[in-house]
Amino acid sequence: MSYKWYYEVGDYPAGISGNGYVFLVRSGFKDFAIYNISEGRILNTFSENCGYNSGGSSISVGSYVYQIRGNNMMRIDPLTQKYIYLANLPWSVSNYFSMNGLTTNTTHIFAIRGANTQDFAVYSISSNVWITLSPTPAPMGQGASLTYNGTYIFALRGGGTKDFYMYN
């Protein structure tokens, strides 16, 4: 199987895909844009300082994008270009550091804090509540990430390590 890079879509360094769109953050991580994959063009961009610096994460669930900046979480509706703030994370995080990994099972969002901490939590989309989970086996460093395969959550520790964990 061969893979191909298609073309430059502009100055958009971060993206989360979902429902035929890629949701992008740019311009000092303050603007939000929607790229339509089938049309090959950016549909719209809006700037509400809803982006993040080096400490944010985003995930697409259904037709919304959930974005964390510092300890704030917001739900963005990319089609109406409106967002609302949701429950704060259960730990304090600087706007400029931490928040390495997010994953979802479509009803909950799981997050690891990073910043050499063992913080791990789950957000209930339906009840707008964060619950702290048991700590990760070791402090999670820069580049840590999460993914979900339908049964388990897997975590790469980051921080220059080769550590790989599974959460059930």
Side-chain angles (χ1 to χ4, degrees), residues 7 12 14 19 22-23 25 32 35 48 51 55 62 68 79 89 117 128 137 149 152 158 161 164:
Y7 44 85
Y12 292 87
N19 299 333
V22 177
F23 306 110
V25 180
F32 188 80
Y35 178 75
E48 293 286 337
I68 293 176
L79 300 179
L89 276 77
T117 71
N128 188 34
N149 75 345
Y152 302 105
T161 73
F164 181 70

Side-chain angles (χ1 to χ4, degrees), residues 9-77:
V9 295
D11 182 27
Y12 292 87
I16 306 297
S17 63
N19 299 333
Y21 300 97
V22 177
F23 306 110
L24 305 147
V25 180
R26 73 168 193 148
S27 297
F29 301 100
K30 298 197 182 348
D31 295 336
F32 188 80
I34 303 165
Y35 178 75
N36 183 308
I37 296 168
S38 64
E39 294 178 16
R41 68 183 182 99
I42 293 174
L43 298 179
N44 54 12
T45 303
F46 67 103
S47 178
E48 293 286 337
N49 197 22
C50 63
Y52 50 82
N53 289 309
S54 63
S57 293
S58 299
I59 193 162
S60 174
V61 182
S63 60
Y64 297 108
V65 174
Y66 292 82
Q67 189 164 6
I68 293 176
R69 179 181 183 194
N71 71 335
N72 299 311
M73 186 159 110
M74 61 190 78
R75 184 183 71 205
I76 301 169
D77 183 333

